[in-house]
Amino acid sequence: MYPHILLAVDGSEHSVRATEEAIKIARLSAHSKIEVVFVVDFSKTKEDVLHAEGAEGIEVTRRKKLAPVEERLEAADVSYYVTILHGEPGPTIVDHANTKQVDLTIIGSRGLNGLQEMVLGSVSHKIAKRVKSPVLIVK
C-alpha cells in the first residue's frame, strides 16, 4: 500500500502520536518501511552546542529525542530506519520527501491557533502544502 513512509519527528509528544499512526499504516503491508526523519534546525544548533559537552553530548541529546519513537517502532516490530538532516525543518522535509518520492508523509501537528498559523505558519502546514505525496497530519 505505502512502501516508503516518511515519518517526520522532532521529539515532541505530537511525534509520538504520529509514530503510533505510522505503525498502524505500516502494519497494513509487509512491504512498508518507515523512514524516520529528524531535522537538526540550524537556528537551534547554537543552543545545543552551548548546552552540550562536546560532539558526543550533542549526539546523545538528539538520540534522546528519538528514543521514544524508536522504542515504539521496535516494540511494534515494523521495518524502519533513521535519517538525520540539517536545515530549516519545513523546507528540508519537503525537499527530502519530494526527492525520495515517498509514498506517504506523516507528521504530528503542533496545534497552533489560527492566528499563529496564519502569521508564522507551522511545519506541518508547510509540508501539507508542498509535499507531492499524500500527507497525514496527526493531532
Side-chain angles (χ1 to χ4, degrees):
M1 189 168 169
Y2 296 110
H4 185 179
I5 300 169
L6 186 151
L7 173 62
V9 300
D10 63 1
S12 68
E13 185 59 36
H14 301 285
S15 293
V16 173
R17 285 196 297 275
T19 301
E20 296 295 338
E21 295 304 313
I23 290 168
K24 291 176 191 175
I25 293 169
R27 284 183 169 164
L28 296 174
S29 171
H31 302 293
S32 291
K33 186 171 239 179
I34 298 173
E35 177 182 12
V36 179
V37 174
F38 179 81
V39 179
V40 177
D41 189 348
F42 287 135
S43 66
K44 295 179 183 175
T45 302
K46 289 179 186 175
E47 184 177 317
D48 289 347
V49 170
L50 291 173
H51 292 90
E53 295 179 15
E56 295 84 20
I58 294 170
E59 185 62 28
V60 168
T61 301
R62 290 178 185 154
R63 282 290 167 192
K64 281 183 183 178
K65 290 181 181 180
L66 288 170
V69 168
E70 288 191 272
E71 288 168 6
R72 282 170 175 73
L73 292 167
E74 287 173 13
D77 197 30
V78 295
S79 180
Y80 79 95
Y81 61 100
V82 176
T83 302
I84 297 179
L85 303 172
H86 298 270
E88 185 182 342
T92 302
I93 293 167
V94 168
D95 182 57
H96 185 76
N98 290 339
T99 301
K100 297 294 182 180
Q101 298 179 338
V102 300
D103 300 298
L104 176 66
T105 301
I106 302 175
I107 187 167
S109 169
R110 208 170 71 174
L112 294 176
N113 68 37
L115 177 62
Q116 288 172 317
E117 187 168 321
M118 184 178 71
V119 174
L120 302 173
S122 67
V123 172
S124 58
H125 187 148
K126 291 173 187 173
I127 289 170
K129 284 175 43 177
R130 295 182 181 104
V131 168
K132 294 175 184 171
S133 68
V135 175
L136 173 62
I137 300 173
V138 180
K139 287 185 170 186

